Amino acid sequence: MNDISVKYHFTSNFKNLSFSEKMNVANLYLIEGILVIKLGNKIYFEENVALLEFWILLDRWIKNIETHNISSFKYYTLELDENIPLFSLIPYKDKFLIEVIEIKEKVENLLPQDKVIEEFKKVHLNLSNDIQSHYGIFIEDYLDKVPF
């Protein structure tokens, strides 16, 4: 039971906005979707999240770990007032402890680092391509405008 999969599907109508509305940074949170993390064959996390916000934070984390600096990834969202991440990847020896704000199904949540990193790198690449093609935007246009 060392398998992890991360999937998403879009739920917002961001693509129906005008060009000027799409370029408004406040509207980037309208790029939403259901993010699902499965450990083994069980759903461990399933929430509607701001997918562009998630991608930007994931991008920063991946760039950091590519310099061999394995660190925690904590996904906080501006949509919650609490100082609690929706989910976290916390390094522990050669594994990651995966913690979520609300567990959907109880499951072993300590997984090998290499499998976790590989899955999140795959999500990073696919989500970038999917956001750009689905919504007709270039993520690079937002990177210097994001307030976090």
Side-chain angles (χ1 to χ4, degrees):
M1 200 320 277
N2 288 330
D3 293 332
I4 180 172
S5 69
V6 181
K7 305 288 183 206
Y8 53 85
H9 66 273
F10 300 113
T11 58
S12 66
N13 292 321
F14 181 86
K15 66 182 173 183
N16 296 333
L17 298 178
S18 70
F19 177 78
S20 62
E21 290 171 321
K22 286 181 181 179
M23 294 309 294
N24 182 340
V25 174
N27 289 333
L28 75 85
Y29 297 99
L30 299 177
I31 297 177
E32 294 179 319
I34 304 294
L35 183 67
V36 178
I37 299 174
K38 289 178 92 175
L39 302 181
N41 61 355
K42 296 187 179 195
I43 295 174
Y44 187 61
F45 175 84
E46 183 175 25
E47 293 289 332
N48 193 56
V49 301
L51 287 171
L52 181 57
E53 173 191 49
F54 169 71
W55 183 88
I56 291 169
L57 295 172
L58 187 60
D59 184 64
R60 292 175 184 170
W61 180 71
I62 287 173
K63 286 176 180 167
N64 186 44
I65 64 170
E66 285 177 345
T67 63
H68 303 291
N69 183 13
I70 303 297
S71 60
S72 295
F73 174 76
K74 295 185 180 197
Y75 177 52
Y76 296 91
T77 180
L78 296 178
E79 294 174 347
L80 288 179
D81 291 335
E82 302 171 27
N83 195 19
I84 300 169
L86 283 178
F87 76 87
S88 304
L89 306 174
I90 302 167
Y92 177 74
K93 297 184 182 182
D94 63 343
K95 299 185 186 302
F96 275 109
L97 177 64
I98 302 170
E99 294 184 333
V100 297
I101 194 168
E102 183 180 325
I103 296 172
K104 297 296 181 187
E105 295 184 65
K106 194 168 184 163
V107 64
E108 175 61 41
N109 62 342
L110 190 61
L111 298 164
Q113 276 185 2
D114 59 339
K115 288 187 179 195
V116 173
I117 290 171
E118 179 183 330
E119 181 65 15
F120 277 90
K121 281 184 173 182
K122 184 172 70 173
V123 168
H124 175 257
L125 176 64
N126 293 338
L127 184 57
S128 169
N129 293 333
D130 291 345
I131 285 173
Q132 292 180 120
S133 65
H134 185 77
Y135 292 112
I137 63 169
F138 295 103
I139 288 178
E140 295 80 26
D141 292 342
Y142 293 89
L143 293 180
D144 64 341
K145 296 176 173 70
V146 178
F148 48 85

